[in-house]
Amino acid sequence: MINLAKSYELFSVVIILFLGVVIPVSAEETKEQELSYETIKALLPEEMDKAEPLIDAFYETAVQNGKDSLLAKSYYLYGLYHYYRGELYLSIDSYLKALETDYAAQDIEFAGACWNNLGINYDYQGYPGKSIEAYNASLKAAEELNDSLSIGQSWINIGLLEVKNGELLQGEKILNKALRFFEVLGDTLNMALCCQNLAVTTKKAEDWEFFKAYTERALELFSAKGYRPGVAQMNNNLGVYYSVVGQNTKAESYYEIALDQARQVGNILLLGSILINQADHAVQNGKYGQAVDLKKNALQLFQQAKANDRIERAMIELLDLFAVLGDYDQFKAQLEHYVRYKEEFASSTAAARFTELKSLYEHERHMSQIKQQAYELQQNQRFLILIGVSLAVALTGLLVLSLLYFKNRRLVRSLYKKNKNALRQTHSAYPHEVPDIAPLEQVAGTDKDAEKAHLTAEEASIESVDRLEQLFLDINALVDGLKLYKNPTLTLSELAKQLNTNETYISQAINQYAYKNFNTFINQFRIEEAQKLMIESRGEVVLDQLIENCGFNSKSTFYRLFKQQTGLTPSQYLYNASLEEE
């Protein structure tokens, strides 16, 4: 026989396993995604091709799971990726989307990083106002986190932008604030960067003494840190200073030192800048031919570095030199070259801008497709969970119903057997032979009889009880033996006549010994008769005929009394009777 309890336990385990497989993104999976984020970030910018599909997959997972932190980080990864590809519109759009998430509102450090990168993007795009706003937001985040390094670096960025924007005094003020800040921290490299930027500021203001002072301090600090690009740039600055003050020998010496150092670090932009400064120094000393050669060399370096702003400036300066020299052919050739460059640059710039805007559109469409696919997958997943849960509930309900059904069957069977045994005991408890009916006086006894027999009152009472008990036995035997209960119209009066007594004694005997009234007493015989017929026929009996044969004239009364007396319905009793063996 199947053990239903064990089957239920096994079924529950299967359902739990099913739901465990269907429900997505456990805590372990979330941890793996966080590690994936750091791995992808580490690929940029060296392995862009490898990073791109990983970022797409990370974004798709974030959308599917609906986890805000993962979505914010996927936007941040897109921002980095597009920045390194030079797609500034896309990069800005990605960082702004990252900042719109709830995660950015809660994680100050993450928001600060987004704002800082936005500041860099806006700066490269030529929007100093927006860049300053972004850097100020980054500075605010750094101050909330008490991140001293980020605070100082934000001040440097903001100060430089103010200088670029023509606000020299404001820029110098902020850069000096940053310098004092890093002096307190003892951060030599950032102190050197502050001095370098202050030198740029004072150069624009043509405050040459301060320019020299800041340059010399920056050179000292860069040298202490062994930062060779900074050392080369500061020697170049000193060349500019001595050129301005007319100390040509010193100027040329510093330029040569700077050129040698720039070549060692392989910084072609710095090399070009030094050559431009040397050319300006040559012009200042009337050496125009030398200046032309130096500017041509610088132009080649700028072209190699694709530094468009410096390329254009070098071309214009060459045109000025040819004009001063009166070299019409060189001027015309250079002018044609410049016009072609401007046309090509304008065309390439427009094409690049168009490509970038097209990429932005394509990127938005691509992300929308990912969102749509993720939404459909999420809906399918929810539908699968719903189906799984519904199936689990249905199967659990079916199993419970099965358990209840078999339990009910056992209870019904047990109750049937108890009724059957009770029926046997009832019929063995009383005699079933029809009694000889005594006269009324002999059954009940009278006071006159008691007097004649000279009985005491107590003796008369005991004799009366004994006779009442005998009367009950006679009633039971007569009703059962002659099957008087089959008469649907049997009354108390009719029974009293057959026993040659009165109704009062009949009722008294039944009440005292059967604990029932007359109707209940007779109906008990009728129900017991129905039980016997059901058992004898092994359930093969027509209920309508059975009801009539047992003395009932109402089907509903029979059903009610049968259920009340046996605890079972007639149908349940018939079914169990049909299971009886020969």
Side-chain angles (χ1 to χ4, degrees):
M1 184 176 178
I2 297 173
N3 190 322
L4 292 175
K6 287 186 177 179
S7 299
Y8 180 75
E9 288 177 6
L10 179 61
F11 175 76
S12 300
V13 170
V14 171
I15 293 301
I16 290 168
L17 289 174
F18 171 78
L19 293 176
V21 169
V22 172
I23 296 173
V25 190
S26 65
E28 191 63 31
E29 288 173 327
T30 303
K31 185 178 179 182
E32 288 178 5
Q33 287 161 354
E34 296 292 347
L35 290 173
S36 174
Y37 166 74
E38 296 298 334
T39 302
I40 296 169
K41 195 161 67 167
L43 292 174
L44 299 170
E46 284 79 9
E47 300 182 75
M48 300 284 284
D49 292 338
K50 186 184 289 187
E52 184 181 15
L54 293 177
I55 297 172
D56 282 342
F58 188 88
Y59 173 72
E60 187 172 353
T61 302
V63 174
Q64 287 174 7
N65 296 341
K67 195 169 180 65
D68 192 66
S69 63
L70 296 180
L71 194 62
K73 289 177 179 179
S74 66
Y75 287 135
Y76 185 85
L77 289 172
Y78 275 125
L80 285 177
Y81 173 77
H82 292 302
Y83 168 76
Y84 288 125
R85 282 176 58 94
E87 298 169 341
L88 301 183
Y89 278 117
L90 288 171
S91 182
I92 289 170
D93 182 68
S94 298
Y95 287 128
L96 289 174
K97 284 178 178 175
L99 287 166
E100 289 172 0
T101 62
D102 293 334
Y103 177 74
Q106 296 165 4
D107 193 314
I108 301 171
E109 185 177 0
F110 176 80
C114 290
W115 282 117
N116 183 72
N117 292 350
L118 274 172
I120 294 169
N121 276 306
Y122 284 133
D123 187 17
Y124 283 153
Q125 274 197 326
Y127 298 123
K130 285 187 175 182
S131 184
I132 289 173
E133 288 178 8
Y135 281 133
N136 274 318
S138 176
L139 174 61
K140 183 179 178 182
E143 288 172 342
E144 286 187 43
L145 291 169
N146 198 25
D147 183 351
S148 57
L149 183 61
S150 296
I151 290 171
Q153 288 174 341
S154 294
W155 283 338
I156 291 175
N157 292 331
I158 294 169
L160 279 175
L161 281 168
E162 292 288 2
V163 172
K164 279 187 180 180
N165 213 22
E167 301 292 336
L168 300 182
L169 290 176
Q170 179 65 13
E172 186 176 0
K173 180 181 176 181
I174 294 171
L175 288 169
N176 268 307
K177 183 178 179 181
L179 175 59
R180 289 192 297 273
F181 182 81
F182 285 119
E183 284 174 341
V184 172
L185 293 178
D187 188 334
T188 306
L189 183 59
N190 276 306
M191 287 165 59
L193 290 173
C194 288
C195 290
Q196 178 184 1
N197 293 321
L198 282 165
V200 171
T201 306
T202 50
K203 180 183 178 184
K204 284 181 177 287
E206 296 185 356
D207 190 343
W208 299 110
E209 291 308 315
F210 273 106
F211 171 70
K212 180 190 177 197
Y214 283 128
T215 296
E216 287 176 338
R217 189 173 181 201
L219 177 59
E220 179 187 350
L221 293 167
F222 279 135
S223 297
K225 291 297 292 184
Y227 186 65
R228 293 190 297 168
V231 171
Q233 179 62 58
M234 293 309 98
N235 281 318
N236 178 47
N237 280 6
L238 287 173
V240 171
Y241 169 76
Y242 286 113
S243 177
V244 169
V245 297
Q247 297 185 30
N248 297 331
T249 303
K250 277 192 173 183
E252 289 167 5
S253 174
Y254 276 110
Y255 283 138
E256 289 301 324
I257 293 171
L259 280 172
D260 183 56
Q261 291 170 338
R263 289 189 187 100
Q264 288 178 24
V265 297
N267 191 326
I268 58 176
L269 279 177
L270 181 55
L271 276 171
S273 297
I274 296 169
L275 290 174
I276 290 291
N277 289 336
Q278 277 189 312
D280 291 340
H281 178 69
V283 169
Q284 186 177 327
N285 289 287
K287 301 176 181 178
Y288 294 103
Q290 182 184 355
V292 168
D293 292 337
L294 289 168
K295 286 190 184 286
K296 281 184 177 180
N297 290 335
L299 179 59
Q300 289 178 353
L301 291 170
F302 294 148
Q303 287 171 334
Q304 184 181 341
K306 297 181 180 179
N308 292 314
D309 57 334
R310 300 193 186 190
I311 291 171
E312 183 175 0
R313 190 168 63 199
M315 284 185 169
I316 293 172
E317 289 174 357
L318 274 170
L319 283 171
D320 290 341
L321 280 174
F322 292 136
V324 170
L325 290 170
D327 191 336
Y328 177 76
D329 292 335
Q330 286 273 31
F331 180 85
K332 182 180 178 183
Q334 181 62 33
L335 181 60
E336 290 173 353
H337 180 52
Y338 175 70
V339 170
R340 281 197 307 274
Y341 166 77
K342 288 293 288 183
E343 290 174 350
E344 290 172 1
F345 177 72
S347 177
S348 63
T349 302
R353 186 61 56 86
F354 173 77
T355 301
E356 189 173 352
L357 291 174
K358 183 181 177 183
S359 297
L360 178 60
Y361 169 75
E362 293 292 338
H363 179 68
E364 288 293 337
R365 189 173 67 172
H366 176 61
M367 294 180 77
S368 296
Q369 288 173 347
I370 291 176
K371 278 186 178 179
Q372 182 62 30
Q373 290 170 359
Y375 174 77
E376 290 174 1
L377 180 61
Q378 194 176 47
Q379 292 299 105
N380 291 338
Q381 198 170 45
R382 286 177 179 173
F383 180 71
L384 181 61
I385 292 173
L386 181 62
I387 292 295
V389 171
S390 300
L391 181 62
V393 170
L395 291 176
T396 303
L398 183 61
L399 185 62
V400 170
L401 287 174
S402 299
L403 290 170
L404 291 174
Y405 171 74
F406 286 111
K407 183 178 179 181
N408 187 60
R409 279 188 61 179
R410 288 196 302 272
L411 291 173
V412 168
R413 187 66 183 168
S414 174
L415 191 55
Y416 167 78
K417 289 181 178 178
K418 288 179 181 178
N419 274 285
K420 187 178 177 182
N421 292 334
L423 191 63
R424 287 173 182 168
Q425 291 171 4
T426 299
H427 282 274
S428 64
Y430 300 105
H432 297 291
E433 294 182 4
V434 179
D436 294 330
I437 305 303
L440 180 61
E441 300 82 43
Q442 292 179 355
V443 174
T446 63
D447 292 338
K448 187 177 180 181
D449 295 330
E451 282 182 27
K452 287 180 180 180
H454 304 286
L455 298 173
T456 65
E458 184 178 351
E459 290 171 339
S461 175
I462 291 170
E463 185 177 348
S464 175
V465 169
D466 290 341
R467 288 184 178 182
L468 196 61
E469 182 180 358
Q470 184 58 50
L471 175 60
F472 174 72
L473 293 173
D474 290 343
I475 293 168
N476 197 76
L478 184 66
V479 172
D480 191 26
L482 297 180
K483 299 189 183 299
L484 295 180
Y485 54 79
K486 288 192 174 184
N487 177 9
T489 61
L490 179 66
T491 63
L492 187 61
S493 175
E494 186 178 344
L495 184 58
K497 286 180 183 178
Q498 292 201 37
L499 286 169
N500 196 24
T501 185
N502 61 50
E503 295 177 22
T504 303
Y505 289 133
I506 296 271
S507 179
Q508 185 179 353
I510 292 172
N511 286 333
Q512 186 166 333
Y513 292 100
Y515 307 106
K516 300 177 180 71
N517 61 30
F518 172 74
N519 287 332
T520 304
F521 177 72
I522 296 301
N523 283 332
Q524 181 179 343
F525 281 100
R526 290 169 177 164
I527 296 300
E528 289 173 354
E529 178 68 12
Q531 288 178 260
K532 285 189 288 183
L533 291 174
M534 289 178 181
I535 294 169
E536 289 169 0
S537 67
R538 291 186 175 82
E540 297 295 329
V541 65
V542 179
L543 273 177
D544 289 342
Q545 292 178 358
L546 177 72
I547 292 168
E548 187 177 345
N549 291 338
C550 292
F552 286 99
N553 54 16
S554 169
K555 191 173 182 179
S556 61
T557 302
F558 169 74
Y559 272 86
R560 178 175 57 80
L561 293 176
F562 193 95
K563 173 73 173 178
Q564 183 178 311
Q565 186 165 319
T566 67
L568 302 172
T569 65
S571 299
Q572 289 174 327
Y573 207 96
L574 279 172
Y575 174 75
N576 280 277
S578 70
L579 300 177
E580 293 292 332
E581 297 179 357
E582 294 289 341

